[in-house]
Amino acid sequence: MTFDEARRVLDEADLLMGEEEIQGAIGRMAGEITGRLAGSNPVVLCIMNGGLIFSGQLLPRLHFPLELDYVHATRYGQATWGDRLNWHRRPHLNLVGRTVLLLDDILDEGITLAAIIEYCRGMGALEVLTAVLVEKLHSRKVTPGIRADFTGLEIGDRFLFGYGLDYKGYWRNAPGIFAVKGM
C-alpha cells in the first residue's frame, strides 16, 4: 500500500465511533475493571500492536496496583487476514497463581485471543480475563458465543481501523473507529 492509497482509505472511510464515544467507553470499562480487579494484584498484558493505544488510554484510569507486561502475537502481519499465529514476544512476568487481564484492540474471530488465553493458562495463571475496545458482531467466532469479559464498543461486521486497529499496517493512529469503504 502506498502513502497516497493509505490517505485515500481514510478520506473515503465511514467514521463509526468518534473520540467522545471511545473515551466514554474506556471510562466505563475502567470502572468495571476496577470493581472486579482492585484487590487481586493482577498482571495486565497488552497485546501488541493493536492493544497499545487502548492500553495507554485505559491504564491511567485503573486506580489499583498492578504489574504490566506485553505480548506480541499476530495472525495478520501487514495483510488483512491470516491463519497461523506467530509469536514475537511472550510475557516475561511470572503468571503462576495470578489473575491475568489481557488488553486488546478487537475481538473479531477470537483466534489470537483464544491462543493467548490458553498460553497464559498453561503458564499457571489462576484466571485469565479479557478487555477489548471493540467487539465485532458476527457469527464467525472460533468459539461460538465467545465474549470478552470487558467490552468497550460493539460494532457490526465491517473492516475496521483506527484507535489501534490497522488497515494493511496503516491508520492505527486514526482518531476514531472507521470502516473501510466497501468492506
Side-chain angles (χ1 to χ4, degrees):
M1 170 173 274
T2 68
F3 179 80
D4 289 336
E5 289 170 333
R7 294 209 38 109
R8 189 173 53 250
V9 166
L10 180 62
D11 290 344
E12 296 175 355
D14 297 321
L15 175 64
L16 303 181
M17 297 287 173
E19 185 73 24
E20 189 173 317
E21 292 170 288
I22 295 168
Q23 289 301 314
I26 292 172
R28 177 184 45 77
M29 292 177 72
E32 293 170 1
I33 292 167
T34 297
R36 175 74 162 69
L37 296 180
S40 69
N41 189 29
V43 170
V44 177
L45 297 177
C46 172
I47 300 175
M48 299 296 273
N49 284 328
L52 178 63
I53 293 172
F54 169 54
S55 296
Q57 298 282 320
L58 177 70
L59 286 166
R61 298 178 188 200
L62 301 180
H63 300 288
F64 56 88
L66 57 85
E67 287 187 280
L68 178 65
D69 200 351
Y70 72 95
V71 297
H72 191 177
T74 183
R75 288 189 313 122
Y76 301 112
Q78 301 299 320
T80 57
W81 63 274
D83 59 358
R84 196 176 124 221
L85 187 67
N86 295 305
W87 282 94
H88 299 287
R89 185 185 187 273
R90 298 174 195 267
H92 291 175
L93 291 175
N94 185 352
L95 306 182
V96 174
R98 303 286 298 274
T99 295
V100 174
L101 175 63
L102 301 174
L103 304 179
D104 204 2
D105 56 351
I106 190 168
L107 172 57
D108 190 348
E109 294 175 359
I111 295 169
T112 302
L113 201 55
I116 296 170
I117 290 167
E118 283 307 307
Y119 174 82
C120 292
R121 287 181 179 149
M123 296 305 294
L126 180 64
E127 73 177 329
V128 182
L129 302 172
T130 57
V132 297
L133 178 59
V134 173
E135 181 170 343
K136 197 185 286 188
L137 300 175
H138 59 68
S139 61
R140 296 184 316 277
K141 304 283 193 238
V142 66
T143 304
I146 187 174
R147 298 294 308 252
D149 297 289
F150 308 97
T151 300
L153 305 163
E154 294 180 336
I155 298 179
D157 192 13
R158 301 211 33 211
F159 199 99
L160 307 174
F161 67 90
Y163 240 84
L165 296 102
D166 76 295
Y167 180 67
K168 297 184 178 180
Y170 286 88
W171 291 122
R172 288 187 192 277
N173 58 311
I177 304 292
F178 295 83
V180 175
K181 183 178 181 173
M183 294 181 80

